[in-house]
Amino acid sequence: MEVGLQLSLKCLIPLPDGRCLLLGRASAPAAVGAELALMEGDTACPIAHGAFYPLPAQHGTEGSGAAPAHGFSLIADRVPKSPRLVLRAGGGSASAESVEHIFETAEAAGTSGLAKLLADQPPALGFALLRDAGTHAALASLMTLGGAPLGAFAEWMARLHPVRGRTVENLPGVEEAEALHSLGGDILVVVRGGAAFPPEARLELALVGLLPGAGPLASRAVALPLFDGHAAALPQALVLHGRIDPAWLDRLSALEVVLQLRMGAEEVHLLRCRPRAATVPDLLDAVCRTTLLAEAGEAGSTEALGLLRLLTARREAAFEPMLASLAAQCPQDADAGGQLPRIGLILGADDPVATRLLQVTAPEFEGRCDQLLILGDAAEEVAQAFLRRGRLPVLVGPAAVAALRQAGGVAAVLVVEAPRFAEAVARGRPAEAFSRPLGAADLARLLALHGAAGCEPGLEDSLVRLLRLERHRPGEAAFLPVPRGWSSPHAAELVNAHLARLWTAGLKTQGLRTEGLAAHV
């Protein structure tokens, strides 16, 4: 064996698809390149996937000197007989033929050993496998080994440092770990300290989702890939932003984030938390928020705003083409819904007094609609005006939102904003309060805008904003700023300007304006 080269093979695990997973450790001088080969006799076994991760010095092989130690995971295309692993570096080589743990079947690994093996290894091994399971199909089977909801990772994840709310306890230097996700699939994690993090501090994450099963014990875990990830270090915070496919959010019963916080070469912490659903303004403003005990500093604020500019630019690059394309597909003629059945939607039904007005004007809806949806604080009371007449099926609250989401392609939607309807009735022209029929393209655009740039949790606010765009005239404000408490006026201005660009993507911007973007701080 070449001096400075060391190799050990910890375990071999058959996988359900006929491949196998090998775990081990390797050391080679930092100045030379190194590669691993898996041999079966004189024949090389194809390696479908390989990943390496640094080990703290105390976990390296004894006598390794200055050679850095790395753990590795390999997936071979088949289970080799009498495997021999070869490490080649700098003209020398080292080999390992003995395996500390060999599991005869995937089931044996899941029920009797792999979970304990992961729990006993350096945390970086479990994290590397979990993260790679989101992008490599063969590793994904580890999530179901043994039949437990988290498969081979169940015991390993149970030992991770939990984050309750966003408070991190008993971890010096770290005060908060805030994880957020948006309807559009944004994932944002901010780890905050009361003082500056060391320059070498780094933040990584792995995502785990739980799919509901037929019973309480039938949940199935999946590792999810993170797309377009970007990590950054601020003076008193570590930030990581990326996206998942938003379709997962409708399928999952729970989403968890595993954070790997590297404070230095020898200090690694793993945290486990559940991201909170957030609106886009809330999620982006989190970049600039600080803890109550954080040291004030102009430099930190400036760097946070710089990162916020970068993240908003990345979001616009990701979402604007899609939103512009959807805007171009929306017809502008008055009969955009064609011959589809028509659903009436009353927005802003917040005043029970409106019940009498709607009872008198019910024929206006009955003559135009085949079904009626009502949203607002007084939706139940307002619905009684129509239910007593018995001529239209009526849905309110969450059932109405679900029906609206499902309407695309099967119905056109006529939207009436309750305050505008009252004004139109007072003028003797109630028909003017009905929007043009919104068809499948309009509803697809509405849902896309709500996911990418929704300003409130409910779909109602996004629909009101879309209708405002429909009615805008030259010189009128196309986007109104979000009324919320912001971390700073500068963050408010940046985020509102970003949202305005998304809401107006694909529209002719001449004559459009946004106003008061830094207001409501």
Side-chain angles (χ1 to χ4, degrees), residues 49-229:
H49 175 74
F52 296 82
Y53 51 92
L55 291 176
Q58 62 265 31
H59 292 292
T61 308
E62 291 297 328
S64 60
H70 283 74
F72 64 81
S73 62
L74 302 176
I75 296 178
D77 280 347
R78 65 176 185 274
V79 180
K81 298 178 181 177
S82 303
R84 180 169 59 93
L85 198 61
V86 179
L87 171 67
R88 299 187 180 97
S93 66
S95 63
E97 298 182 18
S98 62
V99 185
E100 294 182 27
H101 303 275
I102 297 180
F103 299 98
E104 296 298 330
T105 64
E107 290 74 17
T111 57
S112 65
L114 180 56
K116 185 177 187 306
L117 183 68
L118 283 178
D120 291 341
Q121 293 301 303
L125 168 60
F127 179 82
L129 286 177
L130 182 61
R131 181 188 55 200
D132 290 347
T135 56
H136 201 287
L139 280 175
S141 62
L142 296 178
M143 303 298 296
T144 57
L145 284 183
L150 294 170
F153 297 96
E155 185 175 346
W156 179 82
M157 286 189 66
R159 298 186 182 189
L160 300 183
H161 196 119
V163 178
R164 295 176 174 85
R166 66 188 188 198
T167 301
V168 179
E169 299 175 346
N170 302 319
L171 189 57
V174 178
E175 295 186 2
E176 293 182 353
E178 185 173 16
L180 304 168
H181 73 81
S182 73
L183 284 175
D186 289 276
I187 300 291
L188 179 78
V189 177
V190 185
V191 175
R192 302 184 182 96
F197 285 105
E200 63 272 22
R202 296 291 181 270
L203 180 64
E204 301 173 87
L205 69 75
L207 293 163
V208 177
L210 284 181
L211 292 167
L217 300 179
S219 296
R220 180 169 64 89
V222 289
L224 305 178
L226 184 74
F227 301 110
D228 199 24

Side-chain angles (χ1 to χ4, degrees), residues 307-328:
L307 176 59
L308 184 56
R309 288 188 187 92
L310 175 63
L311 295 185
T312 55
R314 291 168 66 90
R315 293 189 84 251
E316 286 165 28
F319 289 119
E320 269 192 344
M322 176 264 294
L323 294 174
S325 175
L326 289 172

Side-chain angles (χ1 to χ4, degrees), residues 21-44:
L21 171 67
L22 299 100
L23 305 176
R25 298 178 185 177
S27 297
V32 300
E35 62 178 24
L36 283 171
L38 178 63
M39 308 298 295
E40 185 177 22
D42 294 329
T43 303

